[in-house]
């Protein structure tokens, strides 16, 4: 027969509508930043191509509707499927409050990249000229490759939020140096392929 405290806990949980849990809480990345932007400006930064290229990546395809494209091209010179977040979609939009999208891992982590995680971005006015932007990234799998993806995005989202703050404090990101390095890298790769063996 079970011990009385266990039975009492189960009865209390049942009465309160709480199911007993056997595992740990879902792993998630939670980060936030206050940006010097109105709520409208912060929302537009995440829901327009112009907004996204001002802080996130050098190119993007954005269709702000459920099921619409949320494609972020970190390497717009790469072949389709290797540009970055090539096939991502908006999952939900609550204007000027919340948006969510699916997300993938970098190409260097193919097992994790073949799956999707989920990102929720929330917007909260702090003052007429300041907005808190919060990121919640979840849906992680298990194993060493997923651990690497988690560590990668824990740093990457901090960088994205820092770039967002910088965008509103000092102006839009200039991607010309980044694109020049990418072009040189692609040209070097093409020369290696073309070189006789």
């Amino acid at each position: 027969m079970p011990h009385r405290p266990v039975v009492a806990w189960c009865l209390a949980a049942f009465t309160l509508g709480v199911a007993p849990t056997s595992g740990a809480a879902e792993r998630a990345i939670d980060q936030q930043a206050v940006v010097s932007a109105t709520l409208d400006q912060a929302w537009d930064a995440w829901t327009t191509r112009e907004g996204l290229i001002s802080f996130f990546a050098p190119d993007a395809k954005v269709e702000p509707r459920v099921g619409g494209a949320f494609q972020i091209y970190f390497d717009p010179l790469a072949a389709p499927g290797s540009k970055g977040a090539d096939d991502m979609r908006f999952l939900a939009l609550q204007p000027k409050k919340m948006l969510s999208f699916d997300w993938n891992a970098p190409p260097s982590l193919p097992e994790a990249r073949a799956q999707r995680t989920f990102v929720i971005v929330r917007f909260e006015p702090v003052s007429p000229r300041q907005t808190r932007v919060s990121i919640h990234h979840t849906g992680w799998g298990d194993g060493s490759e997923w651990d690497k993806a988690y560590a990668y995005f824990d740093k990457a989202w901090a960088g994205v939020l820092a770039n967002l703050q910088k965008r509103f404090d000092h102006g839009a990101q200039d991607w010309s140096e980044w694109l020049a390095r990418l072009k040189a890298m692609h040209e070097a790769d093409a020369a290696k392929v073309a070189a006789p063996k």
Side-chain angles (χ1 to χ4, degrees), residues 4 8 21 31 38 40 44 50 57 60 63 74-75 89 120 127 129 132 158 161 166:
R4 287 181 193 265
T21 58
Q31 298 189 10
T38 66
D40 289 345
D44 288 348
E50 297 75 21
E63 299 166 338
F74 301 103
D75 184 355
R89 302 269 173 227
I120 299 169
S127 74
R129 303 272 324 147
R132 178 175 291 109
L161 289 173
K166 192 166 100 175

Side-chain angles (χ1 to χ4, degrees), residues 13-184:
F14 178 77
T15 304
L16 296 172
V18 177
T21 58
S22 60
E26 173 77 15
R27 178 163 57 163
I29 294 170
D30 288 295
Q31 298 189 10
Q32 64 178 332
V34 174
V35 297
S36 300
T38 66
L39 181 59
D40 289 345
Q41 290 171 323
W43 178 259
D44 288 348
W46 285 84
T47 58
T48 66
R49 179 182 177 275
E50 297 75 21
L52 285 164
I53 65 175
S54 74
F55 78 97
F56 206 141
D59 201 4
K61 179 180 179 184
V62 186
E63 299 166 338
R65 58 179 170 75
V66 174
F70 188 81
Q71 299 174 10
I72 310 298
Y73 304 138
F74 301 103
D75 184 355
L77 307 175
S82 299
K83 296 175 184 282
D86 294 50
D87 299 316
M88 304 305 101
R89 302 269 173 227
F90 281 106
L91 301 173
L93 294 105
Q94 297 171 6
K96 299 176 188 166
K97 292 182 181 178
M98 181 277 292
L99 58 86
S100 65
F101 48 88
D102 62 342
W103 202 240
N104 61 1
S108 61
L109 301 170
E111 179 187 328
R113 187 172 175 84
Q115 308 237 359
R116 295 290 184 266
T117 53
F118 309 97
V119 179
I120 299 169
V121 182
R122 296 191 184 276
F123 303 82
E124 177 189 357
V126 175
S127 74
R129 303 272 324 147
Q130 288 187 312
T131 302
R132 178 175 291 109
V133 179
S134 304
I135 292 175
H136 178 75
H137 188 172
T138 191
W140 304 97
D142 296 318
S144 65
E145 194 163 296
W146 282 102
D147 293 342
K148 290 175 188 173
Y150 182 91
Y152 173 87
F153 283 113
D154 194 35
K155 290 180 183 174
W157 287 124
V160 168
L161 289 173
N163 283 347
L164 182 65
Q165 287 177 311
K166 192 166 100 175
R167 182 262 174 269
F168 287 109
D169 289 341
H170 304 292
Q173 177 75 30
D174 178 2
W175 296 104
S176 54
E177 185 179 322
W178 173 260
L179 289 169
R181 287 197 321 243
L182 288 175
K183 184 179 178 187

